[in-house]
Amino acid sequence: GKLDGSCLCGSVTYRCDAEPLVTAICHCTDCQKQTGTSFSIVVAVPREAFEVSGDTLATFQTIGTDTKLPVDRRFCSACGSPIASLPEAMPGIALIKAGTLEDRSWLRPEIEAWCSSAQPWIELDEERRGCFPRGVPTG
């Protein structure tokens, strides 16, 4: 389906039968650290519709630098690919790391969050600029 994906080595796979709720660019410092780059592109989906499996699936819990709330970060322990984030601040939502989708051709980020943490060289799109309610981070 549209929201099926896997890690770099293929050991961890996931599927999601729901439609995306929103596609976002997250500039938070935690996403920058986790991805090793300047931002994360995430697709928010209903958590109950997101199924992930694989022997190398692991979880690392962080306390959000910005929200101070726990985030379960699911990843492949074999190749290191981040798969999804499950933030306590958004209990019904799974945030799929968009680069792990099998089909990425449809991706069009709709919002940018945590713009205050964006790298200074990034030109923010004013039409996408915004944040989730109550400052909840995306990824």
Side-chain angles (χ1 to χ4, degrees):
K2 180 178 181 177
L3 294 174
D4 296 349
S6 66
C7 64
L8 183 61
C9 72
S11 296
V12 173
T13 59
Y14 61 84
R15 54 178 310 209
C16 181
D17 295 327
E19 282 297 305
L21 301 172
V22 69
T23 300
I25 296 171
C26 185
H27 297 281
C28 83
T29 54
D30 293 338
C31 274
Q32 291 181 40
K33 289 267 189 184
Q34 186 194 31
T35 62
T37 188
S38 300
F39 51 81
S40 182
I41 301 176
V42 295
V43 179
V45 297
R47 199 175 291 185
E48 69 272 7
F50 179 68
E51 296 176 29
V52 61
S53 59
D55 292 341
T56 59
L57 180 64
T59 300
F60 183 76
Q61 187 176 87
T62 59
I63 302 300
T65 299
D66 300 301
T67 64
K68 309 296 186 235
L69 293 170
V71 179
D72 284 345
R73 294 175 176 274
R74 312 299 304 273
F75 67 99
C76 174
S77 63
C79 68
S81 292
I83 300 296
S85 294
L86 309 175
E88 187 176 287
M90 302 170 74
I93 301 295
L95 300 162
I96 297 171
K97 299 293 181 174
T100 63
L101 291 163
E102 298 304 332
D103 176 15
R104 296 173 294 281
S105 63
W106 59 271
L107 286 169
R108 296 286 181 279
E110 298 157 286
I111 65 166
E112 297 193 48
W114 295 110
C115 297
S116 59
S117 309
Q119 293 289 321
W121 56 267
I122 291 177
E123 294 182 30
L124 297 166
D125 182 322
E126 289 303 320
E127 290 182 11
R128 282 195 307 243
R129 191 174 184 151
C131 203
F132 279 91
R134 299 177 306 284
V136 170
T138 58

